[in-house]
Amino acid sequence: MRKISFALLAATLLTLGGCATSPPEDPENLCAIYQENRDWYEAAVNTREKWGVPVHVPLAMMYQESSFKHNAAPPMEYFLGFIPIGRASDAYGYAQAKTLTWDDYVRETGNSWSSRSDFDDAMDFMGWFIYKTHKINGVSKWDARNQYLNYHEGWGGYKRGTYRQKPWLIKVADKVDKRSKRYAAQYHSCKEDLDSSWLWRLFFG
C-alpha cells in the first residue's frame, strides 16, 4: 500500500512539474511571447481591464525580474564559499514578489488561492502594484522606468529617493524602460491578430 501511495505521489509531482510553462523562445519580442503563450495574453488583457495597466509595462518588468522563469529566486548565499546560509531575499516567482508584499496583495484583493509561480496571478499582482504606485506616488501606469524604481525600492523608498544613491539601479530601470517601449511598438504591429485570437478563444474556445 505504501509503495502504491509513493508511486501516486511521484506521479502527481511529475504532472505538476510538467505543467510549468517554459520561458518564451524569443523573450525580446512581445508578439512572439504572446503568440507562443496565448494564455499569457489573456492574463495581460485581464490585467489591463482590471487595473488599467498596459500589456507591455508589466511584461517588461517581469522579464527583468525573472526572465519569465516560474520558480525564479535570488541566488543562494554561502558562508566560507561553500556553506549555504539562505537567499538574500524571499522574492520568488515570475514577478519576484516578496512575501510581505504578496501577502498585502492577497489581503487587499482576496485572491487567497494565488501563487507566485502562476503567470496569471503574477500578472495580476504586478497590475495591482502598478495601480497602487500610480495612486500613492502619482507615477503613470505607462512610465516603466519609474514604475520599476517603485517596484524595486518600495513606495516609501521611491518617495525618499533612495534610488538616487544606486546608479546601477537607475541603469536597470532605464533598461526596463527601453524594453517596455520596444514591446509597445511591437504590440502595435500584432495587437489586431492577438485580439482576434483572444476573442475567438473567449467565445468559442
Side-chain angles (χ1 to χ4, degrees):
M1 188 68 179
R2 289 180 63 184
K3 289 183 178 180
I4 295 175
S5 299
F6 180 79
L8 287 172
L9 176 61
T12 301
L13 291 174
L14 284 171
T15 301
L16 289 173
C19 292
T21 303
S22 299
E25 292 184 6
D26 186 3
E28 297 293 342
N29 189 307
L30 175 143
C31 296
I33 292 170
Y34 284 144
Q35 286 165 353
E36 181 181 344
N37 298 291
R38 298 286 179 157
D39 290 345
W40 286 16
Y41 184 59
E42 292 179 28
V45 170
N46 290 337
T47 297
R48 181 181 65 196
E49 294 178 349
K50 183 177 179 179
W51 302 109
V53 174
V55 301
H56 59 277
V57 172
L59 197 73
M61 292 168 61
M62 187 180 290
Y63 181 25
Q64 181 61 44
E65 290 297 283
S66 69
S67 297
F68 302 122
K69 296 174 184 175
H70 75 282
N71 59 350
M76 183 67 69
E77 295 187 338
Y78 295 88
F79 176 66
L80 299 177
F82 64 94
I83 302 173
I85 58 174
R87 301 184 187 278
S89 165
D90 61 6
Y92 181 75
Y94 282 112
Q96 284 291 276
K98 295 181 179 178
T99 301
L100 285 177
T101 312
W102 187 268
D103 289 345
D104 287 342
Y105 157 75
V106 170
R107 185 177 64 255
E108 290 190 14
T109 62
N111 193 9
S112 57
W113 294 100
S114 60
S115 169
R116 287 181 282 181
S117 60
D118 181 273
F119 184 88
D120 290 25
D121 292 334
M123 181 63 76
D124 189 64
F125 167 80
M126 297 193 85
W128 167 83
F129 195 98
I130 291 169
Y131 168 84
K132 295 266 292 187
T133 296
H134 173 65
K135 195 172 182 180
I136 294 170
N137 282 333
V139 176
S140 169
K141 299 172 186 177
W142 296 76
D143 183 354
R145 180 183 186 274
N146 287 294
Q147 283 287 345
Y148 184 76
L149 290 173
N150 273 267
Y151 198 74
H152 193 278
E153 298 296 276
W155 299 307
Y158 178 84
K159 195 171 291 186
R160 294 190 302 273
T162 55
Y163 59 89
R164 295 191 183 97
Q165 308 303 318
K166 302 176 181 179
W168 62 269
L169 177 59
I170 293 175
K171 288 182 181 179
V172 173
D174 288 339
K175 183 179 179 181
V176 171
D177 188 57
K178 288 179 181 178
R179 179 175 291 114
S180 176
K181 289 174 180 175
R182 185 166 66 250
Y183 277 172
Q186 292 166 347
Y187 182 52
H188 182 73
S189 71
C190 63
K191 181 180 183 299
E192 185 176 347
D193 175 66
L194 288 170
D195 283 342
S196 62
S197 175
W198 178 74
L199 289 171
W200 176 267
R201 286 167 59 90
L202 180 64
F203 291 106
F204 304 105

